[in-house]
Every structure is written in C-alpha cells, then in structure tokens.
Amino acid sequence: MAARRAYLAIDIGGTKIACGVVAVDGALLSSDRCATPTTGVWQAIADLVSRVQSSASAYELVALGVGCGGPMSDNGDKVSNLHITEWQDFPLRSSLATLTGLDTFVDNDAKAIVLGEAWCGAAAGHRDVIGMVVSTGVGGGIITDGRLLDGHTGNAGHIGHVNVVPDGRECKCGARGCLEAVASGTAIEMMTGKPAAQASRQVIEQTGTYVGRAVASVAALLDLRLAVIGGSVALGFGEPFFAAAQREVDRYAKIKFVRGVQVRPTGLGADAPLVGAAAVARRAVETGVN
C-alpha cells in the first residue's frame, strides 16, 4: 500500500513554535509544539522539526511549508521577525531545507493562514478575502480575484502596520498608532500590565474596534467581502471581540461596494497556522510559485 502523501508544516511565532504533518486534503494528522525561547530559537526549531519528521515515517512528505512572522525577503530566504530579536536576516528557508532534505517554501504566517482558510476553511469558495492573525503580533494576508497578493518583497498584507490611532503608541516598526501597537497580545500586556488572556471586557471590545477599523480601510482599498481572523488573542477573546470588530466595520464601510463586509473567526480554529503553512507548500507545488 502506498504511503499517504502529506506536507510537513511549521508555524513560527513570537510565543510558540508548532510543527505538524498535514494531509494533501488539509487534515492535520499529527503535531507538536514548544514555547519560543528568548535565545536559541533556531536550535529549538531544529529539535522540534527533527522530532516530528522522524515520527512521520508512515507518510510520503511532499514538501515543507512554513508560516513565520515577518518582515522577510521574497520567498523567506531572509527573515527578520519583529518578535524574535536575535533574528536579523536569518536564512530560514535554506536552513530548513538543509535540516529536512525537503523542498521548502516560506511565507508570512498570516498569508499562510488566508491560504489555508481559502483551501479548506471559512474562506473556501471566496475569491476576495483578508486573513488575519491577532496574537503576539498582528499580521495579514490578502487574496484578491482568487490570487494571493505577494507585493514587491513578498510582504503584502501587513495590516498590523495600518494606522488606526493617529500619533498613538509607538510600534516596534518605529511608527506610531499601528494596529499592532494597540491590538496585539504584546501591546495589550504592556498597556494593561496583564496578559491578554486576563483582559477586561472593555479591553476586548476596544481591541475588536481597532481591528474592525483596519479591516474597513483595507476592504475599501481592495474591494474585499470577507475578513477571517485567527490567532490566540482573537480566538481567545471570542464573541465580544468579533462583535466589536463587526460593529466598527459596519460603522466605516459605508460606500456601496463595501457595505456588508463580514468578519468571521477562522474556520480551522487552532489548526489554522499549521494547515496554512501546509497551504504555502501546496501553492508552490501545484502552481510553481516559490
């Protein structure tokens, strides 16, 4: 009997690193994770990936897909994750290819999530959608007319650096008032003195309001009909967050072609980052985009 074909998938965030095996139909077959250390991040990744890959002998691994916070150079050849301070132009793609022996494809984690959601999640069947991650940081990926937007350097969709509070808090990028500076888990903890998981109802709703404000702007710019949002902060905040985001979208999306834009949680839930990472590899294998 032929081995079941699957993708090796990695999600690299400022708080956690996950690795798993995802079937070619999008089903998550197995996974493991670890906390993102303050130093020695590459060794932590290498240990985790080696452990997962060695336990995947029953599968034919087609390729490796990776979702990682940016910014990064085109194709993920060099990554400078804002939440991994020891990484400046880190050669992620070549390092992982050498480690695993697999064809390796890297993209922004939020772009990965929107690919996964369009493949087999809440955005399936939609040709114009933004996918977002509201977690340690805030990222985004955009599909328009059925195509993932890459941009000049592969960083298109960084909604976390859309301004939502003029002259507001300073962001790690150096600007002031970015969405990430007021709606990320890191920002919430800095502003309140408590982890995002302990946020008050007021903070949850204010965070949703900021996210909705950014979504309304992007929807008007790109004529989008749907925003799917995942990440530990958004999903942890739940219904009050999503209701506040939808109210703010409805408040600002007044021009005819953006009325009725919908805000929804990711359909893949906690599996979205790894399924999305697999979708990065799937896109490359099936279309030749790398």
Side-chain angles (χ1 to χ4, degrees), residues 2-7 24 56-63:
R4 187 174 184 181
R5 300 175 76 244
Y7 301 103
V24 293
S57 58
Y59 306 108
E60 177 193 348
L61 296 178
V62 177

Side-chain angles (χ1 to χ4, degrees), residues 3-280:
R4 187 174 184 181
R5 300 175 76 244
Y7 301 103
L8 190 64
I10 306 170
D11 174 62
I12 302 170
T15 302
K16 68 171 177 63
I17 303 161
C19 182
V21 177
V22 179
V24 293
D25 63 0
L28 181 62
L29 302 174
S30 65
S31 66
D32 198 355
R33 61 189 288 177
C34 66
T36 305
T38 54
T39 61
V41 175
W42 167 248
Q43 189 59 54
I45 292 171
D47 292 345
L48 177 65
V49 172
S50 296
R51 187 163 67 245
V52 172
Q53 188 175 12
S54 66
S55 67
S57 58
Y59 306 108
E60 177 193 348
L61 296 178
V62 177
L64 167 60
V66 185
C68 181
M72 61 184 67
S73 65
D74 201 12
N75 302 327
D77 292 321
K78 299 289 178 64
V79 172
S80 301
N81 188 311
L82 292 177
H83 300 281
I84 300 177
T85 55
E86 67 180 10
W87 279 13
Q88 294 297 317
D89 291 332
F90 183 79
L92 182 62
R93 184 179 184 183
S94 61
S95 298
L96 285 169
T98 299
L99 174 69
T100 65
L102 296 170
D103 290 337
T104 299
F105 306 97
V106 180
D107 214 330
N108 177 273
D109 53 358
K111 288 172 69 183
I113 280 183
V114 77
L115 280 175
E117 290 291 323
W119 176 20
C120 53
H126 291 265
R127 295 178 59 80
D128 301 280
V129 58
I130 180 167
M132 292 180 63
V133 176
V134 182
S135 186
T136 305
V138 178
I142 295 166
I143 290 175
T144 183
D145 197 24
R147 296 178 298 108
L148 180 70
L149 292 185
D150 289 314
H152 179 62
T153 61
N155 289 289
H158 257 291
I159 194 172
H161 300 286
V162 168
N163 189 284
V164 293
V165 184
D167 298 318
R169 296 185 73 254
E170 185 174 4
C171 181
K172 284 190 174 184
C173 75
R176 287 189 173 274
C178 293
L179 179 62
E180 183 164 301
V182 293
S184 66
T186 302
I188 291 167
E189 184 166 0
M190 291 180 66
M191 291 187 293
T192 66
K194 299 178 181 179
Q198 298 176 22
S200 67
R201 178 71 176 238
Q202 180 181 3
V203 169
I204 290 170
E205 292 185 348
Q206 185 63 72
T207 304
T209 297
Y210 288 137
V211 169
R213 190 173 301 171
V215 168
S217 295
V218 173
L221 180 67
L222 294 172
D223 194 10
L224 302 174
R225 308 304 302 153
L226 176 65
V228 291
I229 306 177
S232 59
V233 171
L235 297 179
F237 282 178
E239 191 278 334
F241 166 88
F242 285 96
Q246 187 67 64
R247 284 195 300 271
E248 193 75 352
V249 169
D250 294 342
R251 178 185 177 199
Y252 282 102
K254 295 298 188 183
I255 194 167
K256 186 175 181 180
F257 68 87
V258 291
R259 291 177 194 164
V261 171
Q262 295 295 304
V263 177
R264 300 176 187 169
T266 49
L268 296 169
D271 293 346
L274 286 177
V275 176
V280 171

